[in-house]
Amino acid sequence: MRELPTLRPGGQIVRFAAVGGVNTVTFYACYLPLHRLLPYFAAYTAAFAASLAGAFFLHTYVTYRTRPTWTKFLLFPLTQVTNYSVQSAGLVALVGWCGLDTAVAPLVAALCALPFTYLVSRRILRPPARTGPAAARPGPSAQAGPPPARSGEAA
């Protein structure tokens, strides 16, 4: 299979923010109708859960240009634990302490969570290259020189 191109970290941050914007619009489009039917925090939680799968595929393909795998898919909710925690704390603080309107507070909380979520999602979806003894050993294709002669062949 063809390898996807790697990205400069600056490009990833821009893509991350753009994908986050799309995901926030998706989240908000779910949140507003639910907010009319449910208490604000229940509506927030349901909208957050609804946008999770879309966020995984957008970040996998667009932000980090890597292939989705079941392992990444199963680990991706861990990246969102950070997002959910920071946004939830921000939401409660903005509504309860600052008196911000419950229709606007989730957007402000999402902006506050952006740097934390980027760092954690990058670690999960684009893990660093392996280092150590196993990574340092050359594989068969990295060996120098011609392949060894088979028995019965002239060297």
Side-chain angles (χ1 to χ4, degrees), residues 6-152:
T6 58
L7 299 173
R8 297 183 317 271
Q12 287 179 357
I13 293 169
V14 170
R15 283 179 172 83
F16 182 84
V19 166
V22 169
N23 195 51
T24 300
V25 168
T26 302
F27 158 79
Y28 205 55
C30 294
Y31 174 76
L32 286 179
L34 291 172
H35 181 255
R36 292 185 189 111
L37 303 171
L38 303 168
Y40 78 93
F41 199 77
Y44 166 79
T45 302
F48 190 92
S51 66
L52 187 63
F56 169 74
F57 287 107
L58 285 172
H59 281 303
T60 300
Y61 286 118
V62 177
T63 302
Y64 302 110
R65 294 191 178 177
T66 186
R67 298 194 189 289
T69 64
W70 282 108
T71 301
K72 289 177 186 176
F73 183 76
L74 294 174
L75 289 174
F76 187 72
L78 296 177
T79 69
Q80 296 304 302
V81 167
T82 301
N83 190 13
Y84 184 79
S85 299
V86 174
Q87 281 193 37
S88 297
L91 179 67
V92 170
L94 290 166
V95 171
W97 298 344
C98 301
L100 196 61
D101 183 79
T102 58
V104 177
L107 296 175
V108 177
L111 287 174
C112 295
L114 188 67
F116 300 100
T117 307
Y118 171 75
L119 293 173
V120 175
S121 69
R122 178 175 165 82
R123 180 74 177 180
I124 295 283
L125 297 177
R126 195 90 178 157
R130 288 182 31 186
T131 60
R137 286 190 298 242
S141 62
Q143 293 175 348
R150 289 187 241 157
S151 61

